[in-house]
Amino acid sequence: MTRLQACPACGLPVWHAVSFATSAVGWVVGTDARIAASADGGVSWALQGVDVAANIRGVTLRAVQAVNATIVFAVGDGDTLLRTRGVTLSSPCTL
């Protein structure tokens, strides 16, 4: 099991939920509408771009469900519902 903790280098102060689609591919969500992905079982994580309106900044995402390795839903405060478009590991951050 991956231990969730703060990652100052990633700019993500609080993780709230994690979901793995496979033993390798997983997703974590947290404060400021941040989503990170792992393709190595949670050893390293990369922040994912969230292409949404500016009013979502500051929203805390509280739950995540990986349907498969590329389709992931996240829900948060203020009836926020997001859907990912794929895994991108461009800037891994070891937790």
Side-chain angles (χ1 to χ4, degrees), residues 23-62:
S23 61
V25 179
W27 301 80
V28 63
V29 297
T31 57
D32 203 23
R34 296 296 185 106
I35 300 172
S38 176
D40 58 12
V43 174
S44 62
W45 296 89
L47 287 176
Q48 304 299 290
V50 178
D51 185 23
V52 294
N55 63 352
I56 195 145
R57 308 285 186 258
V59 168
T60 296
L61 298 175
R62 306 229 175 241

